[in-house]
Amino acid sequence: MTKKRIAIDMDDVMAATGRKILKTYNHINSTAFTEQHFENKSYFEIFDEKNYHKIREEVFKPGFFRDVEVMADAIEVVKKLHEIYEVFIVSAATEFPNSLKDKMDWLEEHFPFISWRNVVLCGDKSIVAADYMIDDHEKNLKTFKGKTLMFSAIHNQMVNGYQRFKSWKEIEVFFDNE
Ligand SMILES: [Mg+2]
């Protein structure tokens, strides 16, 4: 029997990238923003324009994505899913060319059981077809034809119409019942 396919996003799903952006922004601008400032808002709405450019420069630098923390329970649950499903890591990363190597190295370090064949680094996820998609952005989920799982993030609290998951443990329970 063919295994069903799951497309899993990296930033703010497998990797705590938002946390690093916030930390870096506060560090370079001597600010003290917390996650709560970003409830239902994008970074762009909070960071002032001048400083937003500074953080964008940081995100474009080689190494920015290399040391991002892994989300709690992601390794354990993705590993379990990988045993039952065909897991693909799908990241809209080509906007940040230096991130491509960082992301491959990061996956090799934390998710060595994921083959390079199962990594899709792209610019637009509407090209992606699979049975399930786990993502924090509505723009990626809304064009997806399979089942959508919205990974809850501070910036997507106002988005309705998707099954929402607050943790990898909740995702594990969902797939236990599939
Ligand atoms: Mg994401």
Side-chain angles (χ1 to χ4, degrees):
M1 202 181 83
T2 325
K3 285 180 175 179
K4 285 192 172 177
R5 291 178 159 180
I6 310 175
I8 305 178
D9 178 36
M10 289 180 79
D11 296 319
D12 294 326
V13 174
M14 294 168 81
T17 314
R19 209 179 294 158
K20 176 153 185 197
I21 289 175
L22 187 58
K23 220 169 102 182
T24 309
Y25 185 92
N26 281 334
H27 180 73
I28 60 178
N29 298 301
S30 305
T31 49
F33 287 117
T34 67
E35 274 217 327
Q36 273 43 58
H37 288 101
F38 296 91
E39 201 166 321
N40 309 315
K41 294 190 182 76
S42 71
Y43 290 106
F44 196 64
E45 291 173 77
I46 302 282
F47 295 161
D48 71 56
E49 212 177 312
K50 185 173 110 257
N51 292 334
Y52 183 79
H53 288 298
K54 276 199 256 171
I55 187 70
R56 261 184 86 82
E57 272 172 33
E58 292 299 314
V59 175
F60 272 94
K61 283 182 185 168
F64 184 86
F65 289 87
R66 181 62 188 88
D67 63 354
V68 175
E69 282 171 55
V70 182
M71 292 287 232
D73 306 311
I75 296 172
E76 180 199 338
V77 178
V78 172
K79 193 167 196 169
K80 188 172 157 186
L81 294 176
H82 166 75
E83 282 157 18
I84 305 160
Y85 295 89
E86 203 177 351
V87 167
F88 283 85
I89 310 305
V90 182
S91 179
T94 49
E95 182 185 0
F96 307 100
N98 285 317
S99 78
L100 304 180
K101 175 81 166 81
D102 285 345
K103 283 177 180 259
M104 293 309 290
D105 291 345
W106 187 91
L107 285 168
E108 179 59 32
E109 180 186 352
H110 301 291
F111 296 83
F113 52 90
I114 302 282
S115 158
W116 58 267
R117 290 181 183 82
N118 290 52
V119 181
V120 180
L121 301 176
C122 62
D124 183 340
K125 294 193 190 181
S126 65
I127 194 71
V128 173
D131 297 288
Y132 306 89
M133 176 180 271
I134 308 171
D135 207 288
D136 60 307
H137 279 293
E138 185 183 27
K139 66 174 184 221
N140 298 326
L141 296 172
K142 72 178 180 197
T143 54
F144 188 69
K145 303 282 190 299
K147 289 190 185 178
T148 54
L149 291 81
M150 176 170 272
F151 204 92
S152 203
I154 199 82
H155 58 78
N156 67 24
Q157 295 302 307
M158 292 283 275
V159 180
N160 294 313
Y162 298 93
Q163 195 168 353
R164 179 180 289 278
F165 298 82
K166 290 196 177 73
S167 67
W168 274 99
K169 284 286 175 204
E170 289 187 9
I171 289 183
E172 182 180 23
V173 171
F174 171 87
F175 282 104
D176 281 346
N177 294 310
E178 279 293 280

